């Protein structure tokens, strides 16, 4: 089967930076047990690789405060690339634990914009995936930051500000966000919008629409919890509504769906920003070898 590999592929700069920082941090504190408060980036392959270096990801569904309480004395702690509640840093300091902030610079910029709006006396409407670590981090900034989904039924009863600041998660669909901003504008005409979608996310979403029209199937490659990969998958399903669209993590996910590929002569592969290029290339090689 012929394969078309979308550009870009491999890590975005924020993911590359987070991984490099984590490895350097572990090397510096190699005598300490090292933990990430969650998944450093949302890709299971990356989490597994970090584990080989002694960097353990705490991904159980409990609060970060509870995770910290369970850590051994003298632990070295890494905050994920998605941002975090800054009060957690004080908690770690009180326990004499060293820590690394691996937050993506784009996420940090988004947080800075929200803090400025709060300082200017504005209420903030945040558009993000509920319970996603980036969303949780942004909502922790101030009590006047409100999640859009919580306001949908009666926005005006909560948002008294006539010019609220509207921000968004950096990995959302830029196309979906336009519709949400329009709905907010209808309720609060004076709202001030800041589309925080990172450039890498925009480029990959645009790449979906540039995939060849003569493909029979599209493979979207990424972690199951990766927001930007999920949005690529949703966009691919919408844009190529008559094609077979598959969401996979690695080449091992191909065998269970092989029967579904019968009759497919050409496919396209697009990957999320936290997907290792090595994994994407293994998938390409395996698909190239199919009939």
């Amino acid at each position: 089967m012929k394969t078309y590999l979308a550009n870009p592929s491999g890590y975005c700069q924020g993911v590359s930076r987070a991984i490099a920082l984590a490895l350097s941090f572990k090397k510096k504190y190699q005598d300490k047990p090292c933990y990430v408060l969650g998944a450093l980036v949302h890709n299971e392959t990356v989490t597994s690789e970090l584990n080989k270096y002694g960097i353990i990801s705490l991904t159980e569904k409990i609060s970060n405060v509870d995770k910290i309480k369970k850590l051994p004395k003298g632990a070295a702690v890494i905050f994920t690339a998605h941002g975090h509640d800054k009060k957690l840093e004080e908690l770690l300091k009180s326990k004499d634990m060293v820590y690394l902030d691996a937050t993506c610079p784009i996420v940090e910029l988004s947080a800075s914009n929200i803090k400025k709006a709060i300082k200017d006396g504005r209420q903030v409407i945040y558009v993000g995936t509920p319970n996603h670590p980036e969303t949780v981090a942004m909502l922790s900034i101030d009590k006047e930051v409100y999640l859009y989904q919580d306001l949908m039924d009666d926005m005006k009863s909560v948002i008294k500000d006539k010019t609220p600041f509207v921000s968004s998660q950096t990995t959302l669909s830029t196309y979906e966000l336009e519709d949400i901003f329009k709905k907010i504008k209808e309720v609060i005409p004076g709202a001030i919008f800041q589309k925080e979608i990172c450039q890498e996310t925009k480029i990959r979403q645009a790449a979906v629409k540039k995939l060849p029209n003569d493909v029979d199937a599209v493979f979207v490659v990424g972690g199951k919890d990766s927001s930007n990969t999920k949005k690529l998958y949703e966009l691919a399903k919408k844009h190529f509504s008559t094609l077979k669209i598959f969401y996979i993590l690695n080449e091992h996910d191909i065998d269970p769906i092989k029967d579904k590929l019968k009759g497919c002569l050409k496919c396209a592969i697009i990957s999320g920003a936290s997907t290792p290029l090595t994994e994407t290339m293994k998938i390409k090689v395996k698909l190239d070898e199919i009939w």
Side-chain angles (χ1 to χ4, degrees):
M1 181 161 53
K2 292 183 179 180
T3 56
Y4 170 87
L5 184 61
N7 184 41
S9 294
Y11 297 142
C12 68
Q13 289 185 354
V15 169
S16 294
R17 174 181 176 273
I19 294 172
L21 285 173
L23 293 174
S24 178
F25 182 71
K26 175 56 183 173
K27 186 176 181 180
K28 180 178 180 180
Y29 295 105
Q30 52 189 302
D31 59 325
K32 295 177 178 289
C34 187
Y35 301 91
V36 186
L37 293 178
L40 182 68
V41 299
H42 284 148
N43 186 279
E44 293 87 335
T45 302
V46 174
T47 297
S48 179
E49 286 299 310
L50 290 175
N51 186 64
K52 294 177 183 178
Y53 287 93
I55 301 172
I56 311 302
S57 300
L58 305 176
T59 56
E60 60 266 48
K61 301 298 183 182
I62 60 175
S63 71
N64 281 332
V65 171
D66 287 335
K67 288 176 184 176
I68 292 171
K69 288 179 179 177
K70 293 170 65 175
L71 293 179
K73 186 177 181 181
V77 179
I78 301 174
F79 289 110
T80 76
H82 314 99
H84 58 275
D85 185 339
K86 296 300 182 181
K87 291 191 286 291
L88 293 173
E89 296 180 9
E90 297 304 317
L91 178 58
L92 290 175
K93 289 176 183 177
S94 72
K95 292 181 173 291
D96 294 321
M97 294 181 181
V98 293
Y99 66 86
L100 166 71
D101 183 356
T103 303
C104 172
I106 304 300
V107 176
E108 285 283 19
L109 178 60
S110 177
S112 295
N113 289 336
I114 290 175
K115 290 173 183 176
K116 183 180 183 302
I118 294 294
K119 188 176 180 181
D120 291 342
R122 287 199 170 89
Q123 288 181 297
V124 176
I125 299 173
Y126 187 78
V127 184
T129 305
N131 300 316
H132 186 280
E134 184 177 339
T135 299
V136 173
M138 297 306 164
L139 295 179
S140 74
I141 291 175
D142 192 273
K143 61 182 179 61
E144 290 298 332
V145 182
Y146 299 90
L147 183 62
Y148 167 71
Q149 284 84 341
D150 294 339
L151 300 173
M152 290 173 66
D153 292 335
D154 192 6
M155 194 178 301
K156 280 191 172 181
S157 68
V158 178
I159 305 300
K160 304 299 182 183
D161 187 350
K162 292 183 178 180
T163 58
F165 181 72
V166 184
S167 183
S168 64
Q169 187 178 325
T170 59
T171 53
L172 294 183
S173 164
T174 184
Y175 307 102
E176 181 182 16
L177 199 57
E178 291 289 353
D179 291 335
I180 293 175
F181 281 4
K182 183 178 179 181
K183 291 176 182 177
I184 294 174
K185 193 79 171 177
E186 289 172 353
V187 180
I188 310 175
I192 299 170
F193 298 91
Q194 179 72 47
K195 188 187 292 185
E196 301 285 7
I197 307 300
C198 82
Q199 189 63 24
E200 185 76 19
T201 296
K202 292 178 184 177
I203 291 173
R204 290 181 194 241
Q205 289 175 5
V208 172
K209 295 191 173 186
K210 294 178 182 178
L211 294 177
N213 290 322
D214 61 343
V215 297
D216 304 302
V218 177
F219 287 84
V220 182
V221 186
K224 62 181 177 60
D225 293 325
S226 169
S227 175
N228 77 88
T229 307
K230 286 179 182 177
K231 295 305 177 184
L232 291 177
Y233 177 66
E234 292 169 4
L235 186 59
K237 288 206 317 184
K238 183 177 180 180
H239 191 66
F240 296 99
S241 58
T242 62
L243 301 186
K244 297 175 181 179
I245 314 294
F246 302 98
Y247 190 148
I248 64 175
L249 173 66
N250 54 43
E251 78 274 17
H252 302 299
D253 291 338
I254 295 175
D255 287 333
I257 60 173
K258 223 169 184 179
D259 287 345
K260 297 179 180 179
L261 296 176
K262 287 181 179 179
C264 293
L265 300 177
K266 185 176 181 180
C267 70
I269 306 169
I270 189 161
S271 61
S274 55
T275 304
L277 181 58
T278 51
E279 292 301 316
T280 303
M281 295 310 297
K282 287 177 185 177
I283 289 169
K284 184 180 187 309
V285 169
K286 187 155 188 172
L287 290 172
D288 280 338
E289 294 173 348
I290 294 178
W291 45 81

